[in-house]
Amino acid sequence: MKNSYDLPHKEIRQPGHLILVNGGSSAGKSSACRAFQDIADEEYILLGIDHFWLAIPPKHCDLVTVEPKYFLSKTYHKDAKPYFHITPGPCLDNIIYASYKAIASYLAAGVNVISDQIFWKPEWFQAAIDTFSPYKVFYVGLKVSDEEGAKRERKRSAGANNTEDGSRPDGWNRCSAEITHANMTYDLELDNTHLSILETAQQIQAGYRACPNPSAFKQFYKGH
């Protein structure tokens, strides 16, 4: 029996392109990605880390009720500044790894994807490398000054314990940015401390247009 969605002949699709935007919390990644969708030369689907993080049970989005199988958190201080650190557990690891495979399924179907990410541990980044190696990846590093990142953090943190509503404790931006940008090479590196969301999206668009053969992400491939 044929399904209603069966095609009369096999359609050959070109793989979709992936724009991967890496940066710390409150760097403006998600907002810039959404703005990019509206100005892009082609259609792009936004599949960022928050889409999958916020799919977990609500109690595990709350810093008070989360169980270690999802993540542990702690605040430490360096140079008199707070650093809020996340240690992912096995359940969160599996969700993140599955999210990369979900993104790859869109790419394999010929759908372009823009995805904002934070790589909280080297294993996350290695899994992304392994999963996305068959595809064209334009790798963007989005940064913001420590002062501006902290300011944005405070602005969004009315309920500092619940990550489901977007709240972020003091030092989340500082710590996540330090970890996720460590030892990275990008096709495009932006500091959006003084850029509007639209200006940030326009710079991503211009950088992508100027880089028909992105190579930064390929430098991390091993055995592909």
Side-chain angles (χ1 to χ4, degrees):
M1 178 182 294
K2 294 186 66 176
N3 294 311
S4 60
Y5 52 79
D6 284 341
L7 296 175
H9 56 83
K10 186 175 181 180
E11 182 179 347
I12 299 175
R13 296 188 180 96
Q14 292 297 316
H17 298 165
L18 174 61
I19 298 177
L20 192 57
V21 182
N22 181 39
S25 173
S26 300
K29 303 184 303 298
S30 297
S31 297
C33 287
R34 288 216 170 275
F36 174 85
Q37 286 181 285
D38 281 339
I39 65 171
D41 299 323
E42 301 175 273
E43 296 292 323
Y44 277 81
I45 298 299
L46 173 58
L47 293 173
I49 187 172
D50 284 350
H51 287 77
F52 301 96
W53 182 290
L54 297 180
I56 69 178
K59 69 178 181 179
H60 298 305
C61 290
D62 192 298
L63 301 179
V64 175
T65 57
V66 63
E67 296 176 10
K69 63 182 179 180
Y70 280 89
F71 64 86
L72 294 169
S73 63
K74 67 177 181 180
T75 296
Y76 64 91
H77 287 75
K78 185 168 64 175
D79 299 326
K81 293 181 178 180
Y83 285 72
F84 184 82
H85 186 272
I86 291 289
T87 301
C91 284
L92 185 57
D93 282 345
N94 287 337
I95 290 165
I96 294 300
Y97 300 152
S99 76
Y100 300 156
K101 292 178 181 178
I103 291 168
S105 70
Y106 279 78
L107 299 173
V111 179
N112 297 322
V113 176
I114 185 166
S115 179
D116 56 303
Q117 295 290 336
I118 298 176
F119 297 110
W120 271 111
K121 56 197 295 188
E123 292 84 354
W124 285 17
F125 186 56
Q126 185 60 54
I129 293 168
D130 293 341
T131 305
F132 300 141
S133 61
Y135 303 103
K136 178 179 177 180
V137 180
F138 182 65
Y139 196 29
V140 180
L142 187 58
K143 300 181 178 181
V144 67
S145 71
D146 184 75
E147 181 180 4
E148 178 63 21
K151 178 181 176 182
R152 295 176 187 178
E153 210 163 59
R154 289 191 297 270
K155 188 175 181 179
R156 69 190 294 189
S157 295
N161 288 327
N162 192 351
T163 63
E164 189 175 20
D165 66 8
S167 295
R168 297 292 183 266
D170 287 348
W172 191 315
N173 165 265
R174 183 175 298 114
C175 188
S176 60
E178 182 177 276
I179 289 171
T180 204
H181 287 304
N183 303 313
M184 287 295 181
T185 300
Y186 298 108
D187 294 300
L188 175 67
E189 192 168 324
L190 290 176
D191 184 327
N192 78 339
T193 301
H194 302 296
L195 297 177
S196 69
I197 293 300
L198 178 57
E199 288 170 333
T200 303
Q202 289 170 334
Q203 294 236 10
I204 293 173
Q205 180 188 48
Y208 183 70
R209 286 173 172 171
C211 187
N213 297 299
S215 60
F217 206 70
K218 292 180 181 179
Q219 296 181 31
F220 300 103
Y221 295 171
K222 294 179 181 178
H224 293 287

